[in-house]
Amino acid sequence: MSKMWGGRFNKKTDPLVEEFTRSIQFDKKLAEYDCLGSIAHAKMLGKCRIVPKKHAVKIVSGLNSILKEIKSGKFKIDASSEDIHTVIQNALDKKIGKSSAMLHTARSRNDQVSLDTRMYCKDKLNYLIGLISLLKASIKVFSRKNIDVIIPGFTHMQNAQPVLLAHQMLAYCDMFDRDMERIKDTMKRVDILPLGSCAISGTSLPIDRNFVAKELGFSKVSSNSMDAVSDRDFVVEIISGLAILGMHLSRLSEDFIILSSQGFGVLNLGDEFSTGSSMMPQKKNPDVLELVRGKAGTLYGNLIEVLTIMKGLPLTYNRDMQLDKEPLFKAVETVEGSLKVMTGLFKVLKVNKDNALKLLEDESIYATDVMEYLVKKGIPLKEAHDITGKILSYSMDRKLKLGEVSLRELRIFSSEFNKDVYGLLNPGKSVSLKKSYGGTSPDEVRKKLKNE
Ligand code: ARG
């Protein structure tokens, strides 16, 4: 395989160095983008008369046929090559002969690799936005189907207040909305054409960068050649957004793991999305969810990897930057896998409403409702909090449920209590009272589902 450099060298590269420096084993994923970028570049070279038209046409048609082979999976990549740019240049040499030697005019692999990476990112970010939308859609279907299911909401993993299961699920829709917004915002900074920056300082040849940007669908052209070839902040930003998304997915997984465990029994993950134990025949394990939870760790690792590689690098291009691609690809593929599996899981997820109701048998979960009952009678919050706490302690000492404390006993604590207070001690009543905007009342949750 011939190299894209070598004229000034008198000795052959040591095989150890070839092995150590090559990136083809991972940057082959950029093949399609590399081809497309080269096609636009060659068209520009022809249009600007930097390369004679007939050679430019030959280059474009050669690249188009390589592109076809890549898309159909027929393109052969020699694993001993240095990188994807070399592979495609060599394939073009073989296909069209002499004219191919003009393709790399007014270009360096420094601006080329940044271009390929940005094109990959644009494509994948759009794809991931689509996958997040699909996950959100399956959350909404699930929430609509189970709109009447009430579960205990937790703070500190302790019973807090009853909430609609749908309300908790829609919390994740809000998180995923922000994740999408973050990706879309990042896109503005990815969607900038670096090509034409060449190795570091631009070129003396009369190139037309705006033409290339238009051909490739870039909104902007980079305005400093040294920045364009040397920064990878867009990679850091993407992985950081994906790491946040991964964090959200890990929390959703954890909620499901808890709610499907024997102590809760609210969710049944479905056989299709569970795994068994080699020793304990009774087991149905949430391994899928545990892996989604664990993969948030992979994403954090990817982020730290690129941040650390980039730290303190002098301008401009340094070979260290070749190492950005593996964590970038890994992060994109990790998120892709987790999003797909979570979307599938929602489709088979079953809810056990009776078990959910059993979790609400401890009436202390209505303490806040009782306290707000007193507040509505004009009792200052602090006092109402104290009264309710004392009643709870009184009932616990006597092993009574809240509803078993008589009205006479309640009135020892406050004369404001009437019979209607007992009506508060049920899940439906409790959630229906939370009518504040964004609260868990079925009306509010239905409104949110409609607006989603
Ligand atoms: N494989 C390299 C990378 O991914 C391509 C750029 C090589 N440039 C260079 N000056 N050695 O970064």
Side-chain angles (χ1 to χ4, degrees), residues 23 27 83 85 109-110 113 232 317 319 321-322 325:
S23 54
D27 67 16
D83 56 27
H85 323 299
R109 281 183 298 167
N110 296 355
V113 73
R232 293 292 183 269
Y317 179 84
R319 194 63 175 263
M321 287 152 65
Q322 174 169 292
K325 276 172 254 355

Side-chain angles (χ1 to χ4, degrees), residues 421-439:
V421 72
Y422 295 103
L424 295 177
L425 309 179
N426 85 72
K429 180 71 181 172
S430 178
V431 291
S432 74
L433 286 173
K434 310 297 169 4
K435 285 189 192 347
S436 52
Y437 177 75

Side-chain angles (χ1 to χ4, degrees), residues 128-189:
L128 292 180
I129 286 173
L131 289 184
I132 300 173
S133 300
L134 287 178
L135 173 58
K136 275 191 62 197
S138 64
I139 295 179
K140 280 185 268 171
V141 170
F142 173 84
S143 300
R144 258 183 221 115
K145 207 161 76 191
N146 296 289
I147 190 77
D148 56 342
V149 177
I150 305 173
I151 58 166
F154 308 124
T155 62
H156 313 272
M157 232 1 255
Q158 308 284 319
N159 275 8
Q161 292 179 23
V163 292
L164 290 190
L165 174 61
H167 191 54
Q168 182 154 342
M169 291 303 106
L170 289 174
Y172 286 100
C173 278
D174 276 14
M175 294 177 225
F176 296 139
D177 271 339
R178 292 194 296 279
D179 291 326
M180 273 203 270
E181 269 173 44
R182 250 184 294 275
I183 293 176
K184 285 180 189 160
D185 198 68
T186 299
M187 190 70 101
K188 290 186 225 154
R189 286 169 291 282

Side-chain angles (χ1 to χ4, degrees), residues 262-396:
Q262 277 78 15
F264 292 82
V266 175
L267 295 180
N268 182 336
L269 300 179
D271 284 3
E272 307 93 314
F273 279 79
S274 302
T275 47
S277 154
S278 59
M279 179 164 177
M280 300 167 283
Q282 87 282 11
K283 295 280 274 175
K284 182 169 146 180
N285 293 330
D287 293 37
V288 168
L289 293 168
E290 288 162 348
L291 283 169
V292 173
R293 184 177 61 186
K295 280 167 192 261
T298 307
L299 293 164
Y300 296 0
N302 299 148
L303 175 60
I304 294 298
E305 193 174 338
V306 181
L307 277 172
T308 313
I309 288 164
M310 294 306 295
K311 179 187 174 296
L313 288 188
L315 293 193
T316 54
Y317 179 84
N318 299 273
R319 194 63 175 263
D320 316 43
M321 287 152 65
Q322 174 169 292
L323 304 175
D324 67 342
K325 276 172 254 355
E326 277 178 298
L328 170 66
F329 298 161
K330 180 82 186 167
V332 166
E333 285 159 22
T334 298
V335 164
E336 177 184 345
S338 293
L339 286 170
K340 281 183 179 166
V341 91
M342 280 308 240
T343 304
L345 188 134
F346 264 101
K347 292 186 181 148
V348 297
L349 195 60
K350 295 260 168 335
V351 179
N352 188 324
K353 208 174 151 185
D354 294 336
N355 283 351
L357 282 175
K358 268 188 216 132
L359 295 176
L360 294 160
E361 277 170 7
D362 175 3
E363 292 176 347
S364 63
I365 200 161
Y366 305 112
T368 316
D369 297 318
V370 172
M371 180 186 77
E372 290 189 349
Y373 171 93
L374 293 173
V375 169
K376 284 175 203 156
K377 305 263 178 191
I379 297 179
L381 182 280
K382 213 160 167 265
E383 205 180 308
H385 191 287
D386 200 50
I387 292 168
T388 312
K390 288 203 168 107
I391 294 169
L392 276 172
S393 159
Y394 178 92
S395 67
M396 284 188 287

